[in-house]
Amino acid sequence: MAHDYAGRLSRAGEATGRSELAGLIVTPSADLIYLTGYDPPPLERLTTLIVRPGREPVLVVPELERPRAAASSAGELVEIEAWRDGDDPYQTVAGLLDPNGEYGATDSMWASHLLGLQGSMAGARFVPGSRVLSKLRCRKDSGEIQLLSRASRSADETFRQVIREGLEGKTEAQIADALATRLVKTGHDAALFWIVGSGPNGASPHHDPGEREIRHGESVVMDFGGRMKGYCSDMTRTVAVGEPSEELKEVHEIVREAHEAAFQAVRPGVPAEEVDRAARSIIDDAGYGLAFIHRTGHGIGLEEHEAPYLVGGNGELLQTGMCFSIEPGIYLEGRFGVRIEDIVTVTETGGRRFNTTPHEMATVR
Ligand code: ZN
Ligand code: ZN
Ligand code: ZN
C-alpha cells in the first residue's frame, strides 16, 4: 500500500505553521511512520525528522544508519543529514532550528533525547507533537480505512474460528494462544495483545490470561488484536460457555444496548464525549454506572490507542474518516464481566462498523 507521504509531510508543515510552532521534532514512532513510512527502532542514538513550515523537511540520522534511511521510503522524500559517533547530535538539530522557537516533540520521544534537545536549545520551548499530528492522523484516508477494515475482518474470522473449537476445559492461556495464532493465520502480520478473562477474571478489563481452566456455566471476555500492514485491529466479545444465567443475559443485554446507543450517536460534528455519554446513560439508568470503569473508546490506526478518545471532557468534534473503538463494559468484581467492542469509522451519514460479528451473546461449548 503506497501512502501519500509527500502530502502528509506538506500538510504537517502547514499545520505546524497554523499552530504557531517553529517546527516538529519527530523521533522514531507512529508519527515518523505516518509522515515518511520510515520505521527504525527508537535507540539511544538520535534519529529525528525535522518539519518546519515553508521549508523542506530534514531527517537527522546516525551515520551508520544513513544507508538504511536512504534505502527506505524516506530516502526519496526528505533530505538526510547524518551525524557521527562522537558528535553531539543535539547540536546538529539545533543548527537546523531557531534556538528561541516553540516546537512540537513526538509524545513518546525518549526523555534522554528531549533533555538533550533542551540542553542544546536553552531558549526553546517544547509542547506535545500530538497537538499538531493527532489532528492529521485521526482522520484516515481511504487506503488507511481499507487496511483497518481488513484487519477487523481478520479479527472477526479469528473469533469465529476460536469459539467454534469450544472453550470448556481449556485454560485462558490456551485460548489466548489460539487467538494470537489465528490472528496471524487470517492475515495479521503480528498479534499484539490477547486478553482472556474467564468467570471472575472477566471483571478485570486488562486481565492477563493464566492457567485458570474455563468451566461450564461461565462467561469469558475475549479482547484481542494485532497489526496488519501497519494498521491495528481490536475487538472484544463476551461468550457464555453453556447456558448463561439470567443475570449474565441481562447484563450482556444492557452492554449491547449501550454499545448500540453509542454507535447511533456517531455522526460528524458530534463531540467525542457525547458518544461516551450515550453509552454511559444506558448503563447508569440500568443501575450499573459504577461498574462501567473506563471510557467508551479510543481512536485506532497505526497505534492501538490514539486520538480521538471517547471520554467525558473531550469536546473534540467527530469528523469523517475518524476511526475508533466503541467498547462499553460492566465489571462485577469477584463474579464476571461483559464487554462488547467494535471498530467504527465516521461517515457523512453516521457510523460504519468494520467488525461484522453479531452482538448477541454467543453460547459456546
Ligand atoms: Zn483495553
Ligand atoms: Zn480491546
Ligand atoms: Zn480497545
Side-chain angles (χ1 to χ4, degrees):
M1 171 75 51
H3 295 289
D4 176 23
Y5 297 119
R8 291 176 183 178
L9 277 167
S10 76
R11 285 190 291 277
E14 288 160 17
T16 303
R18 278 199 303 277
S19 303
E20 295 181 5
L21 296 177
L24 294 177
I25 304 177
V26 182
T27 47
S29 60
D31 287 344
L32 185 61
I33 298 169
Y34 178 77
L35 292 172
T36 66
Y38 186 41
D39 183 18
L43 296 172
E44 79 291 359
R45 286 186 174 108
L46 180 71
T47 288
T48 189
L49 176 72
I50 306 292
V51 176
R52 297 158 297 182
R55 299 182 61 187
E56 291 300 314
V58 179
L59 183 64
V60 174
V61 300
E63 179 63 41
L64 81 167
E65 297 199 3
R66 183 204 285 270
R68 172 161 83 182
S72 78
S73 49
E76 293 176 3
L77 287 163
V78 298
E79 191 193 315
I80 294 176
E81 186 158 329
W83 59 274
R84 290 179 173 270
D85 284 348
D87 292 350
D88 180 350
Y90 307 109
Q91 288 298 338
T92 306
V93 171
L96 295 164
L97 297 173
D98 167 1
N100 297 312
E102 186 167 30
Y103 295 94
T106 295
D107 290 23
S108 61
M109 180 183 288
W110 285 10
S112 58
H113 293 316
L114 185 58
L115 291 167
L117 290 166
Q118 284 175 332
S120 67
M121 299 169 66
R125 286 174 316 280
F126 299 89
V127 300
S130 58
R131 207 181 278 185
V132 172
L133 288 177
S134 74
K135 288 196 184 66
L136 302 182
R137 282 179 48 192
C138 71
R139 295 189 76 179
K140 273 66 181 177
D141 64 29
S142 61
E144 293 180 289
I145 285 175
Q146 213 181 323
L147 291 173
L148 284 165
S149 101
R150 275 170 58 189
S152 285
R153 281 207 300 279
S154 160
D156 284 324
E157 180 59 20
T158 293
F159 176 75
R160 209 177 61 80
Q161 291 183 12
V162 168
I163 64 167
R164 194 177 53 199
E165 286 163 5
L167 304 185
E168 191 176 335
K170 295 176 183 162
T171 65
E172 293 174 346
Q174 284 173 322
I175 300 304
D177 205 56
L179 290 168
T181 307
R182 297 291 181 174
L183 279 170
V184 173
K185 277 203 177 130
T186 59
H188 281 73
D189 298 309
L192 295 177
F193 65 97
W194 36 80
I195 297 165
V196 179
S198 63
N201 291 341
S204 166
H206 282 173
H207 174 69
D208 283 320
E211 294 311 309
R212 186 179 187 282
E213 201 174 288
I214 297 165
R215 280 172 289 219
H216 190 87
E218 292 183 338
S219 56
V220 181
V221 180
M222 288 178 271
D223 182 353
F224 54 96
R227 189 170 273 129
M228 186 189 286
K229 299 195 190 309
Y231 286 80
C232 295
S233 64
D234 182 5
M235 79 175 274
T236 308
R237 288 294 183 274
T238 304
V239 301
V241 181
E243 199 48 42
S245 68
E246 283 309 312
E247 188 188 21
L248 173 59
K249 277 197 265 188
E250 183 188 309
V251 170
H252 193 279
E253 180 58 17
I254 295 162
V255 173
R256 194 192 64 72
E257 283 172 21
H259 187 115
E260 189 58 30
F263 177 72
Q264 294 302 337
V266 173
R267 190 170 328 107
V270 167
E273 67 180 352
E274 285 300 325
V275 180
D276 180 78
R277 192 168 301 148
R280 204 164 297 279
S281 72
I282 299 275
I283 293 176
D284 279 345
D285 290 351
Y288 288 99
L290 291 175
F292 180 13
I293 55 177
H294 54 71
R295 66 192 175 207
T296 293
H298 54 84
I300 189 167
L302 290 165
E303 291 180 284
E304 203 65 64
H305 290 184
E306 56 179 52
Y309 295 98
L310 307 180
V311 62
N314 184 8
E316 195 180 345
L317 304 183
L318 299 185
Q319 296 174 279
T320 55
M322 284 181 169
C323 297
F324 45 77
S325 71
I326 291 181
E327 51 178 308
I330 292 177
Y331 307 95
L332 303 177
E333 209 179 325
R335 304 176 56 219
F336 65 90
V338 172
R339 179 165 67 260
I340 303 172
E341 175 179 25
D342 282 342
I343 302 303
V344 166
T345 187
V346 184
T347 74
E348 290 294 350
T349 53
R352 174 165 82 84
R353 291 187 173 95
F354 293 150
N355 297 94
T356 57
T357 302
H359 288 180
E360 287 66 37
M361 184 164 53
T363 302
V364 306
R365 284 185 287 120

